[in-house]
Amino acid sequence: MSGVLVIMEQRSGTWNRMSAEAVAAGQALAEKTNLPLTTVALAGKDTTLIGPSYLVQHELLEPYTSDAYVIALEQLIKKLSPDYVLFPHTYQVRDFAPALATRFKQVLISDVIGIHDGPTFVRQLLQGKLNADYKHSAIGPCFVSIQAGSFRTDAPRPAGVTPETFTPDLSASQIRNKPGERFRESGQTVDLTQAPVIVSVGRGIGEQDNLPIVEELAQALGAELAASRPICDNGWLPMERQVGSSGQTVSPKLYLAVGISGAIQHLVGMKGSKAVIAINKDENAPIFEVADYGVVGDLFEIVPELTKAVRAAKS
Ligand SMILES: Cc1cc2nc3c(=O)[nH]c(=O)nc-3n(C[C@H](O)[C@H](O)[C@H](O)COP(=O)(O)OP(=O)(O)OC[C@H]3O[C@@H](n4cnc5c(N)ncnc54)[C@H](O)[C@@H]3O)c2cc1C
């Protein structure tokens, strides 16, 4: 078989939203190359999943270890011989996909934000200042991971299909890793990539003592609180709440940027948002170039009024 294989990610039967984005990227690639699309998920022996074309199932795949994932997927890829293997660019994928690609003497084209005819894969360089096109010229499968927010999707895709089960040949002695804590699941960590609504605060807030103004808005909206880099550099909010090239890449339904200028390093982390509202007192702030709705004014006047209005609308 040749084709496009998309490796999806699930946890306890729930799809990671970036999986659906990787499937959307896979569909785009399949259309461009006229190749069939096949989707795959990996799970332990007790998980039932509806949706993907293949379910790679083995008791040693739960809890996750990179060794088990690499061995299991190597076997499936050898069986299916796809031309392209796509992944969502999750923390877990970053952990195992380079080793998997190496098994096939390939590199992983990581963090891809677009796919052009050819196909060529677009990656960002120099903190998002340059886009570079990558083409697979080697013989063998091309491994690609898709950055969050690059391909839009409204709902987790595959549904209604009972997958074909693939049981890899795996033994405990092949697994050198000892599973540690789950990625991004400890009490202090926040996975902004999964948040449907984000209120993000920038240096316009002035000082740490003013943060409750935006925290209240986030609470009223049921949103996650995020920030630009100076806020996290100052220690006003933890680093895990930073959005941008050196923080998280997010693609919520709504991103509300409060007192953020819109530097390129910030924009690369949030421009995949479906709707952007910006509040800034400078009408020339670059954030307005990516905003769907812009409010020019003082955040100290606007945000408390907005919070009141949201609370009133919800009561
Ligand atoms: C290698 C590198 C990596 C970086 N990575 C990141 C990153 O991951 N994420 C990131 O965010 N940045 C990153 N940066 C920093 C980035 O270049 C900007 O400096 C930063 O994004 C600016 O943050 P800001 O918009 O909060 O602050 P500023 O640029 O200072 O903007 C503050 C904004 O608030 C507005 N404002 C002020 N007062 C008010 C008020 N009362 N009401 C309304 N609006 C008001 C101002 O008009 C201004 O537009 C990086 C930089 C480098 C060099």
Side-chain angles (χ1 to χ4, degrees):
M1 176 205 123
S2 65
V4 177
L5 196 66
V6 178
I7 315 295
M8 303 174 70
E9 190 172 309
Q10 59 86 27
R11 190 165 292 177
S12 310
T14 304
W15 296 111
N16 181 310
R17 194 169 48 84
M18 284 163 70
S19 287
E21 296 174 2
V23 174
Q27 284 169 333
L29 180 60
E31 271 169 35
K32 282 186 193 306
T33 53
N34 234 343
L35 290 169
L37 177 76
T38 305
T39 53
V40 176
L42 294 88
K45 82 171 176 353
D46 297 326
T47 309
T48 18
L49 283 173
I50 299 289
S53 325
Y54 280 90
L55 178 60
V56 181
Q57 198 156 33
H58 196 288
E59 58 185 357
L60 293 172
L61 290 170
E62 182 63 51
Y64 163 81
T65 59
S66 58
D67 275 344
Y69 266 51
V70 167
I71 295 165
L73 281 173
E74 183 185 7
Q75 291 172 17
L76 183 75
I77 291 167
K78 283 188 172 153
K79 172 181 150 85
L80 298 179
S81 300
D83 302 274
Y84 299 93
V85 183
L86 266 55
F87 309 87
H89 193 71
T90 62
Y91 289 93
Q92 188 166 290
V93 163
R94 285 178 227 190
D95 188 47
F96 77 81
L100 177 64
T102 306
R103 293 267 174 129
F104 291 85
K105 298 193 166 44
Q106 305 289 333
V107 292
L108 173 70
I109 305 177
S110 61
D111 252 319
V112 163
I113 59 157
I115 301 173
H116 292 158
D117 287 344
T120 56
F121 299 97
V122 185
R123 297 182 71 230
Q124 294 194 317
L125 300 179
L126 300 173
Q127 308 298 338
K129 288 199 177 71
L130 283 182
N131 282 355
D133 287 350
Y134 289 73
K135 201 169 164 54
H136 181 63
S137 56
I139 296 163
C142 172
F143 293 83
V144 175
S145 71
I146 306 294
Q147 197 187 80
S150 304
F151 287 82
R152 288 185 173 194
T153 170
D154 289 322
R157 294 255 168 150
V161 183
T162 305
E164 187 172 324
T165 305
F166 175 80
T167 309
D169 190 7
L170 257 180
S171 70
S173 62
Q174 292 172 293
I175 299 171
R176 297 161 301 173
N177 327 109
K178 245 193 146 130
E181 269 179 43
R182 284 276 201 182
F183 299 93
R184 299 238 149 224
E185 274 196 346
S186 75
Q188 293 83 29
T189 53
V190 186
D191 191 356
L192 294 175
T193 61
Q194 304 295 317
V197 183
I198 293 178
V199 171
S200 194
V201 57
R203 195 147 41 188
I205 196 71
E207 51 189 83
Q208 187 171 18
D209 287 348
N210 296 331
L211 279 178
I213 296 172
V214 279
E215 282 166 353
E216 279 174 28
L217 176 61
Q219 209 174 27
L221 284 166
E224 280 288 353
L225 189 64
S228 65
R229 180 162 163 173
I231 301 298
C232 300
D233 278 352
N234 285 345
W236 297 355
L237 283 174
M239 296 305 275
E240 66 220 27
R241 295 207 177 256
Q242 181 180 317
V243 168
S245 59
S246 46
Q248 295 200 45
T249 303
V250 298
S251 52
K253 287 199 173 119
L254 174 64
Y255 189 86
L256 216 152
V258 180
I260 292 178
S261 61
I264 182 73
Q265 294 89 352
H266 189 81
L267 297 186
V268 296
M270 48 65 73
K271 65 180 171 38
S273 306
K274 294 204 176 64
V276 176
I277 300 177
I279 301 172
N280 197 302
K281 68 178 184 187
D282 174 9
E283 63 178 13
N284 295 315
I287 190 76
F288 288 129
E289 284 165 28
V290 298
D292 299 286
Y293 301 93
V295 186
V296 180
D298 186 348
L299 73 90
F300 295 102
E301 289 169 18
I302 295 160
V303 174
E305 288 303 317
L306 191 55
T307 307
K308 260 192 237 162
V310 171
R311 282 187 186 141
K314 283 192 167 180
S315 65

